[in-house]
Amino acid sequence: MHNIGSYDERAKNFSWDISEKELGYQPGDNINIGWYCTDRICDMGKAEKTALIWEGLGGKHKQYTYNDLRLLSNTIAGFLTSLGIVAEDRVCIFLDRIPELYIGFVGILKTGAIAQPLFSAFGEESLIVRLENAETKAIITQKKHLGKVRKIVDKLPYLKHIIVVDDPGKAPLQQLEIAFDMDNAERLEHYEVYPTKAESPSVLHYTSGTTGMPKGVKHVHYSLISQYLTAKWVLDLKENDIYWCTADPGWVTGTSYGIISPWALGVTQCVNDIGFSADAWYSFIEKHRISVWYSAPTAIRSLMKAGDEVIKKYDLSSLRHLASVGEPLNAEAVIWSDKVFGLKFHDSYWQTETGSIMISNYPGMPIKAGSMGKPFPGVVSAVVDPESYEEINDTGKIGLIAFRPGWPAMMRMYWNNEQVYKAKFNNGWYIPGDRAYIDPEGYFWFVGRDDDIINTGGHLVSPFEVESALLEHPAVAESAVVSKPDFVNMEVVKAFVCLKPGYEATPELNLEIMNFIRKKLSPLAMPQDIEYIPNLPKTRSGKIMRRMLKAQEWGEEIGDTSTLEDD
Ligand code: PRX
């Protein structure tokens, strides 16, 4: 029997009290995610249960029980407190997927500070804007990323500590740097977990906007109420599951469903830091007998591309439930997974801002391949008219996805940006910025984003950020950045560039510009294609018409060009 039982019954009689009761939480109580993920599970008699199985390159392997998690997160919390970190300070985690990332996240929350995870492939520019905006006080990193941090440290007046978890040893530590060796530190039996309340801030994730700099999405400890129950009902996590979430905790899936919910449910989870290859992934599943797998369409399409033969080399019979998030899951991918694993990927839709799964296919509910499924019980959602924000009642008619605010994991604010936060609401709805339609049976079908943001391999990239970075290259006079189709990543970044006089479009310049963006921003933001053009299409008021360039890339109708500059 699935945890959710019958979706229709749950949807009829839903209240978040279900989750509060299971977690033993009553309104007004203290609620600290760090405590829920560790001490509570130990108190429930699962101290010796495996919490984390970790694999790194070169056969590295580590394993931690819930008691280890409890003690090590205490140790990290104690260390941060000794440095002077207090409640609501922002502590950034800038680490590869190593155990210190996962356990450090929990340790930060125990102190009452706010965890700010950043993707470890970020370059200096991506890093600086996010650390500056959050006025981050401490950063936890590792030797290989220290160079990037050292380059920007002088520009960050709020930064007081750089904690290096794999002691640099040979290279002497510089100003603000301090070594911390989690596995060998003295384990702290008692740490007074900070008495956070429901509305105390917990996590700050940065997400890319269409215009302007990235926005810090502020979550609170009460988000646990949504994250716990959605993981239980959508991912169907149970006592004996071995769970693998393939997302990096630099992004919200990797924290909500890669740290918080599996541990709050007391489940054993596996993590690896070995990169992608079909063999490596299948062998990971076989070796650890993974039963529940939460992944992303890009990974699934990469596996499809690797072919069906490779699957036959592995025993994947442990798998029992598959789910996906982050970008459109095409019907072919669902049909393929059914054919090769005997299991369909269950699509789920949500955002950094929503903090937890909002629309999904549930175990036991018939899947319509290509549809995102139905709203989570208790979540009031609709498709609304883009002008009036009134609900569209005609099935099949495309509009904007809308959610009635009020679920526990909803963001509470964009950090220092109330104006942009407020603009996300209209007519009593929260508007995520995606277009969809609802079919006669209440299933949601994703159509596309309602803005220019590029979703490459499930990661959002702001064209504005890439254009701003391109402008810093000496050869670039102007640019327009759009998405272009790609089989595996669905979309990749394409830049149209106008060169300054005296520069010539050569293959060398191409590579140089690509590398420039990769280093400055990240490999995700790097244009896969650069086209040099003499002028960019603009409106009469001088705004670049990305829409036109994008339509050209996707082979779509260009539409109304009457506002174009006519030169
Ligand atoms: O456009 C939607 C797309 O990813 C956006 C959210 O990205 P982010 O905040 O980075 O969070 C990603 C993981 C929760 C959405 O606004 N998206 C997410 N899930 C789906 C999706 N697009 C289509 N189908 C999905 N299942």
Side-chain angles (χ1 to χ4, degrees):
M1 185 59 180
H2 308 297
N3 285 337
I4 191 170
S6 146
Y7 170 79
D8 291 332
E9 284 306 309
R10 293 291 198 189
K12 253 187 262 156
N13 306 303
F14 185 81
S15 152
W16 289 108
D17 293 355
I18 300 170
S19 186
E20 291 187 354
K21 282 210 184 87
E22 287 191 17
L23 289 165
Y25 169 83
Q26 288 190 2
D29 284 355
N30 293 341
I31 174 168
N32 184 291
I33 292 174
W35 180 83
Y36 269 98
C37 288
T38 58
D39 301 65
R40 178 170 182 266
I41 306 298
C42 293
D43 293 349
M44 290 166 83
K46 295 199 228 174
E48 294 315 316
K49 182 172 177 179
T50 302
L52 176 65
I53 298 170
W54 175 84
E55 268 189 22
L57 282 174
K60 280 195 221 135
H61 174 99
K62 289 183 182 179
Q63 203 156 316
Y64 300 85
T65 63
Y66 273 97
N67 198 41
D68 293 330
L69 273 197
R70 179 180 72 82
L71 294 170
L72 294 174
S73 57
N74 280 352
T75 305
I76 292 168
F79 180 72
L80 292 172
T81 304
S82 75
L83 292 179
I85 297 296
V86 295
E88 303 201 15
D89 279 345
R90 274 73 65 202
V91 179
C92 167
I93 313 178
F94 188 52
L95 293 170
D96 290 350
R97 294 185 210 182
I98 55 175
E100 285 83 349
L101 190 176
Y102 298 80
I103 304 173
F105 179 88
V106 174
I108 294 169
L109 296 183
K110 281 188 167 180
T111 69
I114 303 173
Q116 183 194 4
L118 291 180
F119 186 42
S120 65
F122 272 158
E124 297 141 43
E125 189 66 30
S126 296
L127 206 50
I128 200 163
V129 293
R130 289 159 176 85
L131 295 174
E132 229 169 23
N133 182 262
E135 298 179 353
T136 307
K137 190 161 171 187
I139 175 162
I140 305 179
T141 191
Q142 64 199 99
K143 215 168 16 180
K144 67 192 271 205
H145 301 307
L146 203 50
K148 289 190 260 186
V149 178
R150 282 180 177 167
K151 271 199 194 147
I152 59 171
V153 65
D154 288 343
K155 297 184 190 143
L156 299 168
Y158 294 93
L159 191 68
K160 298 286 176 263
H161 309 283
I162 300 166
I163 300 158
V164 186
V165 296
D166 52 350
D167 186 335
K170 284 174 248 148
L173 292 179
Q174 298 185 359
Q175 202 200 354
L176 307 186
E177 294 170 3
I178 180 163
F180 176 74
D181 179 356
M182 180 182 83
D183 286 327
N184 296 308
E186 194 184 327
R187 295 180 163 209
L188 203 57
E189 181 60 41
H190 297 289
Y191 177 83
E192 190 77 26
V193 175
Y194 190 83
T196 41
K197 294 283 184 192
E199 292 305 306
S200 306
S202 54
V203 183
L204 188 62
H205 267 297
Y206 276 77
T207 185
S208 296
T210 323
T211 55
M213 282 301 158
K215 297 163 290 182
V217 177
K218 183 174 106 174
H219 288 293
V220 295
H221 282 267
Y222 190 63
S223 66
L224 175 67
I225 303 298
S226 292
Q227 289 151 349
Y228 170 90
L229 201 64
T230 48
K232 186 163 177 183
W233 287 2
V234 178
L235 303 177
D236 201 41
L237 291 176
K238 292 181 182 156
E239 176 65 30
N240 293 325
D241 276 316
I242 308 286
Y243 170 63
W244 182 28
C245 169
T246 63
D248 188 292
W251 316 101
V252 73
T253 308
T255 55
S256 290
Y257 298 99
I259 303 180
I260 300 173
S261 52
W263 282 348
L265 279 154
V267 163
T268 299
Q269 72 159 328
C270 297
V271 165
N272 68 32
D273 193 19
I274 57 174
F276 177 83
S277 86
D279 275 297
W281 278 36
Y282 293 139
S283 117
F284 191 67
I285 294 171
E286 177 184 68
K287 181 168 167 199
H288 299 293
R289 308 285 307 147
I290 286 160
S291 53
V292 178
W293 182 19
Y294 195 23
S295 198
T298 289
I300 301 164
R301 287 189 294 266
S302 302
L303 293 171
M304 284 171 81
K305 208 171 146 194
D308 300 359
E309 278 308 302
V310 57
I311 301 174
K312 296 186 187 138
K313 294 201 289 194
Y314 300 94
D315 173 7
L316 306 179
S317 59
S318 57
L319 289 172
R320 71 166 188 87
H321 184 53
L322 316 183
S324 162
V325 64
E327 13 153 15
L329 180 66
N330 24 345
E332 300 77 41
V334 178
I335 295 162
W336 174 79
S337 87
D338 197 19
K339 182 181 87 184
V340 298
F341 305 124
L343 298 165
K344 290 179 176 141
F345 269 98
H346 289 61
D347 194 12
S348 66
Y349 165 92
W350 56 293
Q351 289 188 308
T352 309
E353 287 87 339
T354 69
S356 63
I357 295 167
M358 301 301 280
I359 297 174
S360 184
N361 289 285
Y362 304 88
M365 188 178 92
I367 288 187
K368 295 190 187 183
S371 155
M372 303 194 293
K374 296 189 180 187
F376 190 77
V379 169
V380 180
S381 53
V383 162
V384 298
D385 181 271
E387 303 290 326
S388 66
Y389 293 93
E390 292 297 336
E391 193 166 343
I392 295 174
N393 291 313
D394 308 350
T395 54
K397 189 158 178 230
I398 297 170
L400 294 175
I401 297 178
F403 298 117
R404 194 70 79 200
W407 66 97
M410 172 62 177
M411 71 163 161
R412 296 304 196 263
M413 187 53 71
Y414 284 131
W415 196 257
N416 281 336
N417 206 341
E418 194 174 353
Q419 204 187 342
V420 177
Y421 171 79
K422 282 194 173 149
K424 297 288 288 188
F425 299 86
N426 212 311
N427 196 23
W429 297 104
Y430 166 71
I431 309 291
D434 290 306
R435 288 177 296 128
Y437 66 89
I438 307 177
D439 76 11
E441 282 162 313
Y443 284 72
F444 281 64
W445 295 76
F446 185 83
V447 175
R449 286 194 62 95
D450 191 45
D451 57 25
D452 292 335
I453 290 179
I454 300 163
N455 187 337
T456 179
H459 300 106
L460 304 188
V461 171
S462 150
F464 174 80
E465 254 186 293
V466 183
E467 287 163 6
S468 306
L470 280 168
L471 273 185
E472 290 180 39
H473 189 281
V476 178
E478 246 188 335
S479 72
V481 167
V482 298
S483 64
K484 81 171 221 181
D486 179 82
F487 173 77
V488 169
N489 293 290
M490 195 71 106
E491 298 184 347
V492 289
V493 177
K494 167 155 186 179
F496 289 88
V497 166
C498 305
L499 289 174
K500 282 189 186 152
Y503 286 93
E504 231 182 284
T506 59
E508 292 73 35
L509 181 65
N510 236 19
L511 272 184
E512 191 189 306
I513 295 179
M514 286 177 179
N515 257 325
F516 181 77
I517 299 299
R518 186 177 58 81
K519 279 208 186 135
K520 219 173 181 29
L521 298 179
S522 77
L524 301 169
M526 183 183 84
Q528 306 282 323
D529 185 9
I530 301 180
E531 189 172 327
Y532 299 94
I533 50 176
N535 297 299
L536 296 175
K538 287 186 190 155
T539 60
R540 288 185 200 286
S541 60
K543 212 171 142 234
I544 295 169
M545 300 231 11
R546 285 200 198 106
R547 181 173 57 88
M548 199 181 141
L549 296 166
K550 186 175 165 191
Q552 183 184 310
E553 290 308 309
W554 289 80
E556 289 164 359
E557 288 282 312
I558 291 176
D560 180 16
T561 54
S562 58
T563 52
L564 283 183
E565 203 175 61
D566 38 5
D567 56 4

